[in-house]
Amino acid sequence: MASRFLSTTRLVRAPLTRQIARRNYASDAKEAGPKFADETFNGNIWRNTAIAVIAGVVIYRVDQHLTKSGDEKHPFTKWIEYHMESSEDMDKLNQQKLDEASKLAEYRLIAQDAQRAPIYRLRNPESFERASPRGLVTGQQCDLSDLKVRSD
């Protein structure tokens, strides 16, 4: 209770500017809101739009003058056609690429089906060298003295 009494007395004694700075609610001042620029037709967007429209009209008129009201091709179109290859040349080139691709596909099918012969390898090739070629019992072993074991 005493702390509450002390805090109210401090507020009464504090200057008015401190009390206004401490309060946590909105101010009634006119300048409290955000400031926006004036909305007029003097902005850059209107100038740029007018320039773009005028440039479009000028280009359209020049284009009509160059092509004599649209009867013949535009000079830019003529220039592009001059530098392009003819359709017959492109057809020949495409046919060559198609032939090469089909040959490669056939080769891959053949190579894909090819298999190496299976190689059966022994785990312990040294087992052939353990037995003596002498003293063989008939029917239990065979003579492996001339056998050559590959270890690769």
Side-chain angles (χ1 to χ4, degrees):
M1 179 80 172
S3 64
R4 190 170 143 196
F5 177 70
L6 288 174
S7 66
T8 55
T9 57
R10 284 186 198 159
L11 285 176
V12 171
R13 290 182 192 164
L16 185 59
T17 55
R18 279 193 198 163
Q19 288 179 4
I20 292 173
R22 285 187 189 159
R23 60 184 178 181
N24 295 328
Y25 51 89
S27 175
D28 292 335
K30 292 181 181 178
E31 299 173 3
K35 294 191 175 190
F36 296 104
D38 294 335
E39 295 181 6
T40 63
F41 289 102
N42 295 331
N44 290 338
I45 186 69
W46 298 107
R47 182 198 59 197
N48 294 344
T49 303
I51 290 172
V53 168
I54 292 170
V57 169
V58 168
I59 290 172
Y60 178 72
R61 294 292 184 181
V62 168
D63 182 48
Q64 281 186 345
H65 178 70
L66 286 176
T67 59
K68 297 178 184 65
S69 299
D71 292 340
E72 56 185 56
K73 291 182 181 178
H74 193 274
F76 190 69
T77 306
K78 289 180 184 177
W79 182 76
I80 290 175
E81 288 177 351
Y82 174 76
H83 289 289
M84 286 179 57
E85 294 188 26
S86 66
S87 62
E88 292 84 17
D89 293 340
M90 293 304 293
D91 288 342
K92 289 177 185 176
L93 183 64
N94 288 338
Q95 188 62 38
Q96 288 176 354
K97 295 287 184 183
L98 183 63
D99 293 340
E100 291 173 6
S102 63
K103 288 177 185 176
L104 181 63
E106 288 176 12
Y107 174 75
R108 285 187 179 166
L109 281 175
I110 292 171
Q112 178 180 344
D113 291 339
Q115 295 179 355
R116 290 182 63 189
I119 298 174
Y120 301 105
R121 300 200 183 266
L122 294 174
R123 283 190 185 175
N124 302 316
E126 64 273 0
S127 63
F128 286 109
E129 299 170 359
R130 287 186 190 159
S132 173
R134 297 178 187 82
L136 298 175
V137 178
T138 307
Q140 290 184 352
Q141 291 184 346
C142 61
D143 185 19
L144 302 174
S145 59
D146 61 342
L147 181 68
K148 294 181 182 177
V149 179
R150 291 176 42 185
S151 61
D152 54 345

